[in-house]
Amino acid sequence: MRAAPTILHLDMDAFFAAAEQAAKPSLRGKPVIVGGLGPRGVVATASYEARRFGVHSAMPMAQARRLAPNAAYLVPRFSLYRAVSEQVMELLRGLSPLVEPLSLDEAFVDLEAGGSAHDAVGARAAGEQLRRDIHAVTGLTGSVGLAGSKMLAKIASEEAKPDGLVLIEPGTERELLGPKSVRILPGVGPATGEHLRRAGMTTVADLAAAGEDELVRLLGRAHGESLYRMAMGYDDRPVVAERDAKSVSVEDTFDVDLHDRVRVRMEVERLAERCVQRLRGAGRSGRTVVLKVRRYDFSTLTRSETLRGPTDDPVVVREAAARLLEAVDTTGGVRLLGVGVTGLADYTQEDLFAQAAAEAAERAVGERDAVERAGAAGAGVPAAHSGAGGTGSGESGAVGGPGVPVGPPEVDGRARPGGSAGAPPRQGDGVAAPPAGESGGRPEAAPPDLRDHAGPRPGGGLGGAGGADDGVVAAEIGLGDHGGPGVQAASSAGEGRVGPAGGRPVSTAGEAGEAGGTAGRAGAGPDSARMAGGEARRWSAGEDVRHARYGAGWVQGSGLGRVTVRFEEPGSAPGRVRTFWADDPELEPSDPLPLVPGQSSWPASLPKSRSVEGGGGSARP
DNA sequence: TCTGGGGTCCTAGTACGA
DNA sequence: TCTGTCGTACTAGGACCC
Ligand SMILES: [Mg+2]
């Protein structure tokens, strides 16, 4: 706790939703909800307009729809948020080199370390200037908290929301915090809050009065101590600029529970591959592989296996995950699967082998021996276990080399438990692939003059009466999923890489829903050119596109082989809607545009938006 | 139509070697 | 050398955050 309120906490207001509103002028002032659009999605961010309906983060999407049926529902676009975040962080680094990002939209800044403020007056001025700069560069608003400690700065920014600044003058924290709920303290969630309530403590003052011993007795050592300190206003954690990630993980919740073991195995393999992709993308390797399974009843378990050394080999991770899976009972169904890697390092044991081998080769020793001995010696390899000499030194023979588990599994690196790992990814759960081609209910081409589908709207909004045509509601229709039979034909072509049954969830529940949802639009055919025989691509609600003649816009809805685009962009007036065939050659995906036109700080090339988000709209698990 | 995905940190039990 | 103790790894689960 320093004497001057020079620790700043920035928190962007309703970040994802606000970014979408800035990118899509027709959504400004309207309730916008960003989150998963599948049947098991939850709300990531609700705009303030949507919050008035009672919608908030982490709420199941289904519930949000009941509360705000006419809101715009959009899938998150992390490439956009990352780009905006980078602009904001750059502004923060202008204030001080000591910037500690907590997430895409939050960070601490040590103003004193940057020399940009040394007292309350200077801190407030810097904070207000920062808010103006953020708005000028990104078009978005952020809230600022200033205090003498991290905790208080964070509480202050919370109080400042939205679009405000709050400064807590050192010395006033006890009286300010005292009457407030324990829930305002970072680290006090529902469980701890309830725990404390049962013990008769509801306010921060109650915690301070209870004393450290009592809190430790109640909540355990670390939590109790830290809570007591916070309640007293003690907090001297420094702002630290850079922190390496400690784990990398990937998980998927399936639209429908998985029952087929073969399918479960296949999904675990795919998750392992994706996990390693990300691991390698970050230039890291890891030593402990973790499998996560959430069952039909939401009970969750993890199983982990620690290897002899860090790896970034997809085969090693995949096989470890597969072994872990074999020990899990999945009868009843699986709702979620995840694969993660922890114990990260910047090198792999394979690296060390190679390096040692090279050195050994120089000494002109027989190659194989050299490799094996080097591997065992493993200069700098994380100890096999606690004891220095212990299990380690004798085991040069461990056949699998890197990736052989430390513990019990008597693996020789070749035998595959259950003989299943190598099984070909047979078709999944019996969703027969429909015949490809131009069959079925797909509407035939109409004259290629484009009709205005929705017509200009007063005020340009999607206000409308919210009829079947309410574009935003339509935005989710067919999104990344099979629709009626006709659409299914088209979509299966688009997923060819996955194989016959595609990456779709089991069963037919989704189909029924989708078919019903799209039925109303079946008659309205879009009029535009179509590609000769190409695969119909999939369009995600909210993604940016560019049309050869109509310019920039975003996908408002898609389904039945058609895609509805609203033509507008960050600087523009609210735009109008047009509908095209999904395979219209004049329509192509594009990267997000800067929210304020002409910003030099906008990343020249954005991280691949398509692979990150869409990835598998269709394969959405 | 109930409950995401990416993380962090902590606790507790067990095993093991010194 | 035996035994109790201690530190460290490993594993599993849970709370919390955005
Ligand atoms: Mg925020």
Side-chain angles (χ1 to χ4, degrees), chain A residues 235-297:
Chain A
D235 175 18
D236 44 17
R237 294 169 299 162
V239 177
V240 287
E242 182 96 16
R243 278 186 302 179
D244 281 353
K246 301 198 157 137
S247 65
V248 170
S249 65
V250 168
E251 63 188 54
D252 276 338
T253 292
F254 303 94
D255 284 356
V256 178
D257 288 350
L258 267 38
H259 289 89
D260 180 356
R261 266 306 267 218
V262 175
R263 172 76 191 283
V264 170
R265 275 186 209 111
M266 183 184 83
E267 293 295 344
V268 166
E269 284 182 21
R270 293 165 59 162
L271 288 162
E273 302 279 354
R274 277 162 62 193
C275 183
V276 168
Q277 285 274 110
R278 296 243 318 272
L279 189 66
R280 299 179 80 132
R284 313 292 302 277
S285 58
R287 197 156 90 96
T288 302
V289 177
V290 184
L291 174 75
K292 177 172 171 179
V293 179
R294 175 121 73 208
R295 291 189 267 235
Y296 66 99
D297 62 355

Side-chain angles (χ1 to χ4, degrees), chain A residues 37 75 475-481 514 538-541 558 617 620:
Chain A
L37 296 184
V75 75
E476 337 140 18
I477 290 180
L479 181 92
D481 235 317
E514 297 293 342
R538 304 193 140 268
W539 303 94
S540 299
S558 68
R620 181 182 68 229

